[in-house]
Amino acid sequence: MSALEMAFTSRVGRKVAARAGLHEPPVLRRGRTYPGGPIVLATLGASRLGADTLALLGRPYEAPVIDSGGDEVPGYGDRIGALVVDATDLNRLSDLEALRAVLRPALRGLEASGSVVILGRPPAGDWEQRAVTRALDGIDRTVGKELRRGATSNLIHVDPEAGPLELASTLEFLLHGRSAFVDGQTWTVAPAVDTPAPSERPLSGRTIVVTGAARGIGAAIARTLARDGASIVAVDVPPAGESLAAVANEIAGTALQLDITAPDAGARIAAHVAGRGEGLYGIVHNAGITRDKLLANTDAQRWASVLEVNLVAQMRINETLLTPGLPGGLIDGGRIVGVASTSGLAGNKGQANYAASKAGVAGLVAAMAPDLAARRITSNAVAPGFIETDMTARIPFVQREIFRRANSLGQGGRPIDVAETIGYLLDPASQGVTGQVVRVCGQNVVGA
Ligand SMILES: NC(=O)c1ccc[n+]([C@@H]2O[C@H](COP(=O)([O-])OP(=O)(O)OC[C@H]3O[C@@H](n4cnc5c(N)ncnc54)[C@H](O)[C@@H]3O)[C@@H](O)[C@H]2O)c1
């Protein structure tokens, strides 16, 4: 810890920070836990989607308090844990008032780390319907920024052909503490065949490869997926062999020392999995590096090394593992998850190579999704923002403090937050989620 950091974390330092408007950030609720307070469901229209999905999850719910527009704003007696708004029937601009009327009383009534979940439809229909779709997005992002005490807001576009079974894992994730650092964004749930209902240990008996698993986010991913029942193949470079073995032993997985940029990396992964007598259910491409410099100072070597590890290797390994009939290759109904970054989505000074690679990951998973649909393999990415790891510990203190706080939750995320989001995407119950990028950034304000 630098002298400046010590000063900042001391009592006096904290006072100075508070004077500068930098308050102690709220402690977020994490894990497979629902909020303590009741779930309120507001249905705008005749839809049954929200009600049926909560019933499928076995969650009771209460009726909303509605602001009628009078002088007194009605509130909830005790704090509520979550507000779910089923706005899937909402398609006229004049209907947006109904959304305001249920959101207003709830915003002050939400418990710490509570959640607002808005269910809408993907863009379609006439001009007005499309304007409404975007309006919901603007409302969601703003609610995310206005909520306090670690509460979050997210908007899910539910395809009209998708039902409660397809939506259940996403709604569960957003109500759970697993989504603590996912805020102010939108993604889509599509129809899917053979979607099971969510369960406590959804990855039981499934083999999943995690690259870059020796430390940081990768180690957290390996541990979290093992908690959810997965049998893990932990991959990292030979120099990280000792810590890799420690992670693998801790979770009763196996270690595979491998540089993912090796031309035969995919074949070696498949051989390792086949050697265990298993098929491969999922791969998490977490290994990544940075070699930051302004583009004006970036030579070909610095450029290539980052693209090679973060993107090219991922694509090559996927191609191998998707070879039909390959022993140890990806099974039908399997999962591919790439780790992108908000730097790729928003751009980041000094990171042209990294941003190219991470935006490329987002493009890759979106492009693969429709091609893999026939085999029921989903491909998605997570885009972490500022996560407390060795990678971000290297950022100079003042800059790090700014990045860390530049989001709606006023703090950095933890490796477990990325891991939980990946666990959600890997869940067999998330069959309807594919081609998506889920940011794990606390609604980071940089760029996007
Ligand atoms: N930490 C953050 O705030 C943050 C933000 C956005 C995205 N990410 C991404 O999350 C992922 C994990 O980040 P982290 O902070 O845990 O990083 P980290 O540097 O702590 O860990 C990365 C791991 O990947 C391994 N690795 C690197 N090159 C490899 C190769 N060629 N073959 C096999 N393994 C290799 C490393 O040995 C290391 O164990 C990376 O893809 C990173 O770009 C991190």
Side-chain angles (χ1 to χ4, degrees):
M1 201 184 277
S2 70
L4 187 55
E5 264 175 285
M6 299 232 305
F8 208 77
T9 44
S10 69
R11 202 139 54 98
V12 180
R14 278 205 299 271
K15 266 194 188 156
V16 173
R19 284 229 185 94
L22 301 173
H23 302 289
E24 282 285 304
V27 176
L28 305 180
R29 171 173 54 88
R30 292 185 159 91
R32 283 191 163 274
T33 52
Y34 280 103
I39 295 170
V40 170
L41 172 66
T43 300
L44 313 180
S47 166
R48 293 282 319 157
L49 182 67
D52 289 348
T53 310
L54 285 168
L56 184 74
L57 292 172
R59 304 314 298 176
Y61 53 85
E62 296 183 358
V65 165
I66 296 170
D67 172 30
S68 59
D71 291 342
E72 287 282 296
V73 183
Y76 289 89
D78 287 321
R79 290 204 175 266
I80 58 171
L83 174 71
V84 178
V85 186
D86 184 347
T88 53
D89 272 352
L90 196 151
N91 47 36
R92 294 294 131 207
L93 288 170
S94 55
D95 295 344
L96 289 172
E97 158 55 21
L99 182 56
R100 184 207 62 81
V102 294
L103 283 173
R104 189 177 185 196
L107 291 193
R108 286 206 193 103
L110 265 186
E111 68 182 37
S113 278
S115 35
V116 170
V117 183
I118 304 171
L119 308 176
R121 293 294 188 206
D126 62 22
W127 294 352
E128 186 169 358
Q129 270 172 290
R130 283 166 181 267
V132 166
T133 303
R134 287 304 291 264
L136 292 186
D137 192 41
I139 292 167
D140 168 54
R141 288 168 191 260
T142 304
V143 170
K145 289 183 179 178
E146 290 188 1
L147 283 171
R148 306 205 170 265
R149 308 194 314 147
T152 59
S153 176
N154 290 285
L155 165 65
I156 297 303
H157 284 161
V158 190
D159 188 283
E161 302 295 318
L165 263 179
E166 285 99 332
L167 175 61
S169 75
T170 301
L171 186 55
E172 178 191 60
F173 172 67
L174 289 173
L175 294 172
H176 269 177
R178 289 187 291 153
S179 59
F181 207 58
V182 176
D183 195 8
Q185 63 181 305
T186 306
W187 69 93
T188 299
V189 172
V193 288
D194 294 340
T195 307
S199 61
E200 269 291 303
R201 274 169 66 83
L203 302 175
S204 270
R206 295 175 188 273
T207 300
I208 298 175
V209 169
V210 180
T211 68
R215 66 177 200 194
I217 295 173
I221 296 168
R223 291 189 184 107
T224 305
L225 303 183
R227 177 203 68 190
D228 287 351
S231 158
I232 299 295
V233 176
V235 173
D236 212 303
V237 287
E242 216 172 292
S243 39
L244 182 68
V247 172
N249 286 340
E250 180 194 324
I251 57 174
T254 56
L256 173 60
Q257 291 185 17
L258 173 72
D259 182 333
I260 57 162
T261 62
D264 63 346
R268 286 181 54 197
I269 289 172
H272 181 94
V273 173
R276 295 174 22 145
E278 294 160 1
L280 180 60
Y281 172 71
I283 180 156
V284 181
H285 295 286
N286 162 78
I289 58 168
T290 49
R291 297 287 180 272
D292 297 355
K293 278 260 187 250
L294 292 175
L295 187 51
N297 301 326
T298 300
D299 60 21
Q301 209 281 326
R302 207 171 262 276
W303 182 261
S305 60
V306 170
L307 275 148
E308 189 63 28
V309 175
N310 296 3
L311 180 59
V312 180
Q314 220 175 107
M315 193 172 75
R316 204 163 39 218
I317 291 171
N318 286 342
E319 276 165 5
T320 303
L321 294 178
L322 286 164
T323 309
L326 176 74
L330 270 166
I331 59 172
D332 288 359
R335 301 279 184 267
I336 295 171
V337 179
V339 176
S341 165
T342 51
S343 290
L345 307 182
N348 201 14
K349 193 172 168 184
Q351 289 201 312
N353 49 2
Y354 186 75
S357 70
K358 295 300 189 178
V361 168
L364 182 64
V365 296
M368 287 193 305
D371 292 348
L372 302 180
R375 290 179 62 187
R376 297 187 301 103
I377 296 172
T378 67
S379 67
N380 294 286
V382 294
F386 184 102
I387 306 295
E388 308 282 358
T389 63
D390 292 349
M391 196 183 251
T392 46
R394 288 197 294 269
I395 302 172
F397 172 64
V398 172
Q399 204 183 347
R400 174 158 29 106
E401 201 55 35
I402 293 167
F403 284 173
R404 175 184 274 152
R405 290 169 183 270
N407 63 61
S408 298
L409 301 172
Q411 59 192 292
R414 297 196 189 153
I416 182 88
D417 298 322
V418 181
E420 295 280 22
T421 307
I422 289 173
Y424 150 69
L425 294 169
L426 287 163
D427 191 329
S430 300
Q431 189 65 42
V433 183
T434 190
Q436 309 292 304
V437 179
V438 180
R439 298 195 310 274
V440 187
C441 65
Q443 199 177 21
N444 184 254
V445 292
V446 183

